[in-house]
Amino acid sequence: KAGVTQTPRYLIKTRGQQVTLSCSPISGHRSVSWYQQTPGQGLQFLFEYFSETQRNKGNFPGRFSGRQFSNSRSEMNVSTLELGDSALYLCASSGQGLNEQFFGPGTRLTVL
Amino acid sequence: GNSVTQMEGPVTLSEEAFLTINCTYTATGYPSLFWYVQYPGEGLQLLLKATKADDKGSNKGFEATYRKETTSFHLEKGSVQVSDSAVYFCALINSGGSNYKLTFGKGTLLTVNP
């Protein structure tokens, strides 16, 4: 079974731009979560989607948004990029009734 | 709220040494506990898990026991290898309710020298 895939793997943007990251979960998984990883703050939860509905949201500004499609694929968007948004963005999927999450390789975002 | 505290790194060991990485947690209810490992340039891999008190998770020679009385989930391995060099994260998730997020510790960098 294929794992969680994320595209692109690397992105370089400038301040003020916006960016969209994509995540395809493991086949059959309907829950997708997003996390931001930085050296200073560690791993922080962004949001979680299940069946196209956001069920939980972390403490991030409204510039961070996401959505999930009917095939469970998910995207997250960051608008008006700031230097501090430079991070590794990780996506994880989980099967129904399970609480373990399986992570993708991440998208490395650099904001210049 | 939930929180996870794990020992500060970095930890440097020689091959075949014994490894312990301490992890304690604060949570309401009965969380499930996890250890994840992150190799350079990669995402997180689930190493092991435990879902209730006194459960022992194990994988690839690593073990951790869910201790409710001490709210701990320490990671151990009897004989580390160079290939175990990575960052290790302790994490929890509350079972049930509306909490679907993992709460992580800050990670412990392990370096194993030949």
Side-chain angles (χ1 to χ4, degrees):
Chain A
K1 196 182 257 192
V4 178
T5 58
Q6 292 186 245
T7 57
R9 291 292 310 276
Y10 302 92
L11 266 178
I12 299 176
K13 294 286 187 179
T14 57
R15 278 180 299 174
Q17 287 186 310
Q18 75 165 18
V19 67
T20 299
L21 313 181
S22 181
C23 171
S24 293
I26 291 171
S27 177
H29 285 189
R30 294 165 64 188
S31 169
V32 173
S33 300
W34 289 89
Y35 295 84
Q36 181 196 63
Q37 185 178 22
T38 60
Q41 299 299 316
L43 281 152
Q44 295 186 285
F45 172 78
L46 281 156
F47 26 65
E48 187 262 353
Y49 288 87
F50 180 84
S51 292
E52 303 178 67
T53 300
Q54 185 182 90
R55 294 195 298 189
N56 205 355
K57 189 178 191 306
N59 189 24
F60 278 81
R63 300 185 297 107
F64 291 81
S65 63
R67 59 178 175 168
Q68 187 180 33
F69 302 96
S70 59
N71 63 357
S72 295
R73 190 177 69 85
S74 178
E75 290 181 347
M76 68 163 281
N77 184 278
V78 188
S79 62
T80 319
L81 284 166
E82 300 177 0
L83 294 178
D85 297 334
S86 295
L88 181 66
Y89 289 88
L90 293 163
C91 166
S93 75
S94 180
Q96 191 169 2
L98 302 175
N99 58 15
E100 58 197 64
Q101 298 184 9
F102 298 90
F103 284 80
T107 294
R108 172 75 61 186
L109 172 64
T110 302
V111 182
L112 303 176
Chain B
N2 299 333
S3 67
V4 175
T5 303
Q6 61 181 103
M7 63 186 288
E8 297 283 333
V11 174
T12 302
L13 297 173
S14 298
E15 208 166 21
E16 298 184 3
F18 184 85
L19 168 71
T20 299
I21 301 177
N22 291 337
C23 171
T24 58
Y25 67 89
T26 302
T28 55
Y30 302 94
S32 294
L33 303 174
F34 306 88
W35 277 99
Y36 281 88
V37 58
Q38 185 174 37
Y39 297 100
E42 298 184 12
L44 301 177
Q45 294 180 26
L46 178 62
L47 182 59
L48 55 83
K49 68 173 185 177
T51 58
K52 61 183 187 297
D54 299 325
D55 265 2
K56 177 185 281 190
S58 61
N59 186 25
K60 300 181 182 179
F62 292 90
E63 293 183 340
T65 301
Y66 189 141
R67 301 286 188 200
K68 191 170 187 303
E69 63 276 14
T70 54
T71 61
S72 64
F73 192 55
H74 304 321
L75 182 68
E76 296 182 337
K77 186 175 186 183
S79 176
V80 294
Q81 305 300 312
V82 172
S83 58
D84 294 327
S85 297
V87 181
Y88 292 81
F89 293 92
C90 184
L92 69 81
I93 194 167
N94 276 110
S95 299
S98 60
N99 186 338
Y100 305 101
K101 67 175 186 178
L102 280 163
T103 299
F104 288 91
K106 292 194 176 297
T108 302
L109 173 62
L110 169 67
T111 301
V112 180
N113 295 318

